[in-house]
Amino acid sequence: MFKKSITAVIFSFIMILSMGTGAFASDIPVVDDVPFHNFEDSMTVEEKEAIADVNKVNAKIEAEIAKNQEKADKLYTQYTEKLAEETDVNKQEKLTAKYEEQITKLITKLQEKAENMTVKGMDRATAAGLTVDMVYVDIQFGDRTALIDPIIVVAW
């Protein structure tokens, strides 16, 4: 029993040390997969405005992702610390269930918010004459990955 506890603590400690997020580096994009679209000379003013709007929506989604990654990292750190301290199996199961509920709720809310932002941005872009699509990117949240959906411009 003692060996299992030590192993669990060591494994948790390694996981905590290996976790990191780009949220603390303000110059670097948190999510490399969130697309950014450049302007071209052949674009009309309306198309440039629509592209700027798509970039703005994607930037808002990226900011939401960064904010929620921080929350998820804190939740995961607290969970692993409490789990390492707890020796009762029933209490460990309750801690795990609580963590699962919290992290799932956090990710689900972000996915819903990002989808709403994406759909509204796609409607505006389509009305301006762009052909856009939703693209899913894998994002790390604590010990999980989730699919978030920014906008990608296919054609104008």
Side-chain angles (χ1 to χ4, degrees):
M1 179 72 176
F2 184 69
K3 289 182 181 180
K4 289 181 182 178
S5 297
I6 289 177
T7 305
V9 169
I10 290 171
F11 181 74
S12 298
F13 184 71
I14 291 170
M15 290 292 293
I16 290 170
L17 289 178
S18 67
M19 285 181 13
T21 179
F24 303 111
S26 60
D27 304 0
I28 302 168
V30 176
V31 184
D32 294 331
D33 295 333
V34 173
F36 179 83
H37 303 285
N38 294 317
F39 302 119
E40 293 184 12
D41 295 333
S42 62
M43 291 180 177
T44 65
V45 173
E46 293 83 19
E47 290 170 338
K48 288 180 181 180
E49 288 173 356
I51 294 280
D53 186 53
V54 167
N55 287 336
K56 184 176 164 185
V57 169
N58 285 344
K60 286 181 182 179
I61 291 171
E62 187 175 4
E64 286 297 320
I65 290 170
K67 183 171 67 172
N68 283 285
Q69 279 180 320
E70 274 189 53
K71 288 179 184 178
D73 288 345
K74 286 180 185 178
L75 276 174
Y76 184 68
T77 301
Q78 291 170 355
Y79 162 70
T80 55
E81 288 172 354
K82 288 179 183 177
L83 193 64
E85 292 172 0
E86 192 57 60
T87 57
D88 183 18
V89 175
N90 291 330
K91 289 183 181 178
Q92 287 178 341
E93 289 175 359
K94 287 181 182 178
L95 282 172
T96 301
K98 182 179 177 185
Y99 169 73
E100 293 292 328
E101 180 183 330
Q102 290 175 329
I103 196 77
T104 301
K105 184 178 178 181
L106 181 114
I107 292 171
T108 303
K109 280 185 175 180
L110 173 62
Q111 287 173 325
E112 289 171 359
K113 188 172 187 174
E115 185 176 344
N116 288 336
M117 293 167 65
T118 299
V119 168
K120 288 178 184 175
M122 287 176 68
D123 290 343
R124 290 191 304 267
T126 303
L130 297 180
T131 304
V132 293
D133 200 5
M134 199 181 291
V135 61
Y136 290 93
V137 293
D138 283 329
I139 308 294
Q140 186 72 32
F141 295 97
D143 63 337
R144 307 242 175 117
T145 58
L147 293 173
I148 308 296
D149 51 355
I151 304 170
I152 187 166
V153 176
V154 179
W156 53 90

